[in-house]
Amino acid sequence: MTPPSILDQLDVTDIDFAFQDTPDLHHMLADLRERKPYAVVPFAGVRAVLLLTHDLVSAAFKDEQTFPAPAVYSLTTEPVLGRTLQCMTGDEHRVNRAIVSPPFRRSLVTGWIEPLLEPIAHELIDRFVRAGNTDLVAEFTTRYPALVISRLLGLPVWDEATVLRWAHDLFYFPLDPPAAQRASREFAEYVAPIIAARRSEPGDDLLSKLVTESVDGTTLSDDQVLAFLRLLFPAGADTTMLALGNTVSALLTHPDQLAAVAADPQEQAQWAIWEGLRWEPPVGLLPRACPIATHWQGLDIPAMTPVIFAINAAHRDPAKYPAPHRFDITRHVTTMLSFGQGPHSCLGSWLALAELRTGLTALIQRLPGLRLADDALDDAAITSQVGTALRGPNALRVRWNHT
Ligand code: HEM
């Protein structure tokens, strides 16, 4: 007889957490957490352990031995993106991460990158400001982070539409693998000569920094540079797009708080961004796996069990945040799990924060009286994107006062 297992009893039966959205995800997660700190849920046709409390999710992020990132990423992303940092562990990860880290440090982001952000935000707003209405997802939140990455890399400006298509196709690789493979190949063909040019004549752009940096005598090969650049689209552009969409959606549906940000954007935009990242983190349900059977935090988890780090449940854990469902920019909470924790925590968090703050400030300053268009409320609701892992609004149809 097989011994009883944590996976025997499903806590949810009607949705598959890999693919299906549920309209009231936050309340479902809160109900599950009231019963116990984890739940067993359907996930891609098998059963997964969903971690629901702040303590468990934080401990899991820091425990690379039990939940090594490559156990998932080498299956899900390596075939399309190549061998990225997320597919590495131990020394290989340490050296590779150290090589690509310098341009993303806080001091460099402040000194070198921040001045580039504001003109990009204003350039995009210039395109629609006279119309008095737009869909901010289509015209701003999708375009801005992809444009920031291509400008930082020093890619030619005239290729914006192509870069957006690659970002889209790489993002949707779980749903359309052939399109993602094509984008991956086209991107490699496009960037290879630019990498060669930067190797022989480095400039002041991110790509030049990536090809010249060395750690312990190691520099990145062309394949490693390519894998890192491809990763920047799903990891860097799409997450930031969703994060900005989530905060703007929250503000549009909480007009008193939007008014508070509009009254003092230089001070309040940063707090709106932090609260948006807590209230609706773009990476909401992060799938990992436990390759070896383990006894962890009182749970006996069988080998090869998918384990989902529910960042969005952890961020609404009442043991950590009072009145957790309330969007409240006066919380001023900055330590949170949106960017992960431990060895694989987000490399681009300072860049993301600077981009989000600059983007939101520019929107609020240039679009006075910003509000949702009539009948735009449903589209602005935050929903699952590409399976349930990522969350954002489908559209933000807005109006503003213009002369
Ligand atoms: C609001 C925006 C962003 C969010 C919410 C976010 C979130 C995350 C999270 C949760 C992880 C950890 C994944 C895991 O443990 O499996 C991560 C890793 C990563 N992020 Fe971000 N990210 C954002 C923006 C960026 C940007 C702008 C960049 C650009 C450089 C970036 C680059 C990376 C990289 C390279 C990793 C992998 C690090 C490693 O494995 O060592 N991210 N991010």
Side-chain angles (χ1 to χ4, degrees):
M1 210 174 91
T2 37
S5 153
I6 187 179
L7 301 179
D8 288 345
Q9 186 75 44
L10 271 175
D11 295 298
V12 172
T13 51
D14 53 347
I15 70 158
D16 185 305
F17 270 70
F19 310 118
Q20 284 169 298
D21 193 19
T22 176
D24 206 359
L25 179 66
H26 287 289
H27 287 106
M28 172 194 259
L29 296 173
D31 286 347
L32 289 169
R33 191 185 41 239
E34 262 179 33
R35 287 186 245 156
K36 50 186 172 34
Y38 70 93
V40 176
V41 298
F43 182 82
V46 296
R47 291 179 177 199
V49 174
L50 179 69
L51 303 178
L52 292 163
T53 64
H54 191 279
D55 283 356
L56 282 186
V57 175
S58 172
F61 264 123
K62 291 179 198 148
D63 193 342
E64 172 77 353
Q65 191 128 7
T66 307
F67 307 109
V72 162
Y73 290 112
S74 47
L75 299 176
T76 54
T77 64
E78 193 164 344
V80 174
L81 302 180
R83 194 170 170 76
T84 66
L85 285 180
Q86 298 186 305
C87 308
M88 302 174 190
T89 195
D91 246 18
E92 185 192 11
H93 177 257
R94 183 186 61 79
V95 171
N96 275 268
R97 186 163 163 127
I99 295 174
V100 296
S101 291
F104 300 103
R105 291 206 185 106
R106 188 177 191 179
S107 54
L108 261 173
V109 168
T110 313
W112 175 62
I113 296 181
E114 273 200 25
L116 302 174
L117 299 175
E118 210 174 279
I120 298 177
H122 286 289
E123 179 185 323
L124 287 171
I125 296 170
D126 286 343
R127 296 182 192 172
F128 57 73
V129 67
R130 282 171 202 282
N133 65 81
T134 196
D135 170 5
L136 287 177
V137 170
E139 299 306 327
F140 193 81
T141 63
T142 310
R143 292 172 188 269
Y144 171 60
L147 206 54
V148 167
I149 294 211
S150 26
R151 296 277 168 91
L152 288 180
L153 292 171
L155 302 182
V157 173
W158 48 264
D159 270 326
E160 185 189 331
T162 313
V163 170
L164 276 176
R165 181 168 56 79
W166 289 331
H168 176 274
D169 290 352
L170 290 173
F171 185 42
Y172 281 94
F173 65 82
L175 304 184
D176 190 351
Q181 295 285 5
R182 194 174 53 241
S184 178
R185 263 194 323 274
E186 283 179 19
F187 180 65
E189 282 162 19
Y190 170 85
V191 182
I194 306 179
I195 294 177
R198 299 294 196 283
R199 278 204 197 280
S200 56
E201 214 174 309
D204 190 27
D205 53 83
L206 176 58
L207 193 45
S208 300
K209 291 184 201 304
L210 291 174
V211 296
T212 50
E213 190 71 37
S214 78
V215 167
D216 297 352
T218 306
T219 47
L220 296 183
S221 67
D222 282 3
D223 276 351
Q224 286 170 318
V225 173
L226 262 173
F228 182 73
L229 297 181
R230 286 195 200 99
L231 175 64
L232 289 184
F233 290 107
D238 300 315
T239 46
T240 311
M241 158 187 98
L242 296 171
L244 188 54
N246 291 347
T247 297
V248 173
S249 167
L251 290 171
L252 289 167
T253 49
H254 295 79
D256 55 325
Q257 304 201 44
L258 177 57
V261 181
D264 186 3
Q266 292 303 342
E267 171 60 19
Q268 298 301 338
Q270 59 180 321
W271 298 121
I273 292 297
W274 276 114
E275 177 62 352
L277 286 167
R278 182 200 70 83
W279 189 70
E280 192 69 73
V283 184
L285 297 163
L286 184 73
R288 282 285 176 85
C290 169
I292 300 169
T294 183
H295 182 73
W296 183 83
Q297 302 275 332
L299 308 177
D300 283 310
I301 308 178
M304 304 311 296
T305 305
V307 177
I308 309 170
F309 299 179
I311 299 172
N312 48 13
H315 279 182
R316 297 205 187 188
D317 182 347
K320 180 79 183 169
Y321 302 105
H325 295 295
R326 199 170 66 215
F327 176 78
D328 177 1
I329 66 167
T330 67
R331 265 180 220 274
H332 295 196
V333 175
T334 59
T335 48
M336 51 181 80
L337 301 168
S338 291
F339 295 109
Q341 277 187 331
H344 287 278
S345 66
C346 183
L347 183 77
S349 55
W350 293 114
L351 169 59
L353 288 165
E355 266 186 83
L356 293 169
R357 200 181 55 245
T358 308
L360 180 63
T361 304
L363 286 173
I364 292 206
Q365 286 176 333
R366 301 277 311 274
L367 311 177
L370 187 67
R371 58 199 178 272
L372 276 176
D374 298 340
D375 80 355
L377 191 59
D378 284 354
D379 291 348
I382 293 161
T383 176
S384 296
Q385 310 279 332
V386 193
T388 37
L390 303 168
R391 310 258 306 158
N394 291 325
L396 290 167
R397 288 184 292 116
V398 291
R399 310 184 64 79
W400 57 92
N401 309 333
H402 72 302
T403 47

